[in-house]
Amino acid sequence: MSDDMTYVSRPTVPPAAGRRPPREPMPTLTVPFRFRGPADSANGGYACGLIAECLDGPVTVTLRRPPPLETPMTVEPVGEGAVRIRLGGTLVAEATSVRNGPAPRIPGTVSPAEARAAEGRARYFEDPAFPACFVCGTDRRPGDGLRIFPGPVTGHALWAAPWTPDATVGDGGGSVRPEIVWAALDCPTGIAAIEGADVGQDTTILLGRMTADLTTLPTVGDECQVVAWPIGRDGRKLTAGSALLGPDGEVLAAATTVWLTVPRPVPGTIAEGAS
């Protein structure tokens, strides 16, 4: 379980005769400010990954509203293999295990040289909607944001970027924390989705649902590549996929995402949604 997930508990006291034992409080999770997407809410992929740590195996997380920052949210188990995340009486997200779901189809991979050549070439970076995003924010410095800047790969229907995770996203044992991998798989799909669908500059997209399967956690300091590709469009919904490749091109993790188009927020207003 991630160190960023905070649980609350209280000592168990034997109940008095004839009285019911007190109910244990629900566990909570909190997204630190570092892991923001829009300025006022969590990076969607990071939040999904944090929630997914409550369950086993591949997980689908549906975001119902923007996950807040620095605010404890309640984790509510719902039967076997499912949880709901609430802020007071408001539903923030739902998650379910999908152990027997189909594996994402990865249309291709790239070499480290191809990923480096594509880096930063996406049109998105000419005027980014979320410049402070933990994953793709151009305003974030090394050691603070992940600085994953995908671009189209010449001759392929893929977007790609290099990524070398540093010690600040490690688990203390040499591996990258799972929720960080979810985050790395998130934003590249959004960029591939909007550019594949030729979405205009007056529109942005917000993550609605993400399914990820983490086969192997990357190692801190390894040169990895993230690849993403558009899958389709249905009205306001855009779907896309992504994969994290290790130093030798092996697939470490893969994801599929569903994004919702929304009007691009005017600077100084509050965006409604997660990144």
Side-chain angles (χ1 to χ4, degrees):
M1 194 68 66
S2 165
D3 292 338
D4 296 310
M5 185 175 288
T6 304
Y7 281 93
V8 294
S9 61
R10 60 185 177 190
T12 301
V13 178
R19 298 182 61 185
R20 293 182 179 180
R23 294 182 63 182
E24 289 295 319
M26 292 286 190
T28 64
L29 62 81
T30 301
V31 178
F33 180 70
R34 178 188 178 191
F35 304 109
R36 61 196 181 277
D40 56 354
S41 60
N43 169 266
Y46 180 89
C48 287
L50 202 61
I51 295 165
E53 284 293 278
C54 299
L55 302 170
D56 294 325
V59 174
T60 293
V61 182
T62 302
L63 298 176
R64 298 301 184 186
R65 61 184 53 249
L69 298 166
E70 301 290 350
T71 305
M73 295 174 285
T74 301
V75 180
E76 175 187 299
V78 186
E80 184 177 356
V83 295
R84 294 193 184 107
I85 309 300
R86 296 187 182 276
L87 180 61
T90 300
L91 180 64
V92 176
E94 299 173 284
T96 57
S97 294
V98 286
R99 299 175 193 172
N100 299 319
R105 186 184 68 83
I106 300 172
T109 60
V110 299
S111 68
E114 288 175 313
R116 289 192 294 269
E119 185 177 21
R121 292 179 54 235
R123 295 191 308 273
Y124 172 82
F125 296 110
E126 297 173 4
D127 183 21
F130 304 112
C133 175
F134 170 64
V135 179
C136 65
T138 52
D139 290 352
R140 303 293 285 265
R141 303 275 66 85
D144 179 25
L146 299 187
R147 296 178 57 82
I148 297 175
F149 304 139
V153 179
T154 302
H156 300 276
L158 293 171
W159 278 251
W163 177 46
T164 301
D166 63 36
T168 69
V169 296
D171 63 2
S175 296
V176 176
R177 301 199 305 272
E179 66 271 23
I180 300 297
V181 178
W182 278 71
L185 292 168
D186 165 27
C187 294
T189 69
I191 290 171
I194 58 175
E195 298 201 349
D198 198 24
V199 173
Q201 287 291 93
D202 60 343
T203 301
T204 190
I205 58 174
L206 302 172
L207 184 64
R209 179 175 295 125
M210 185 171 184
T211 302
D213 185 4
L214 280 53
T215 303
T216 305
L217 295 175
T219 299
V220 169
D222 278 355
E223 183 179 6
C224 300
Q225 294 82 46
V226 183
V227 295
W229 55 92
I231 294 175
R233 180 171 190 171
D234 181 12
R236 292 183 56 221
K237 293 183 179 180
L238 306 179
T239 55
S242 61
L244 177 63
L245 311 178
D248 297 323
E250 68 276 26
V251 177
L252 305 179
T256 55
T257 55
V258 178
W259 297 80
L260 300 176
T261 59
V262 295
R264 181 164 175 164
V266 176
T269 64
I270 297 176
E272 294 185 0
S275 74

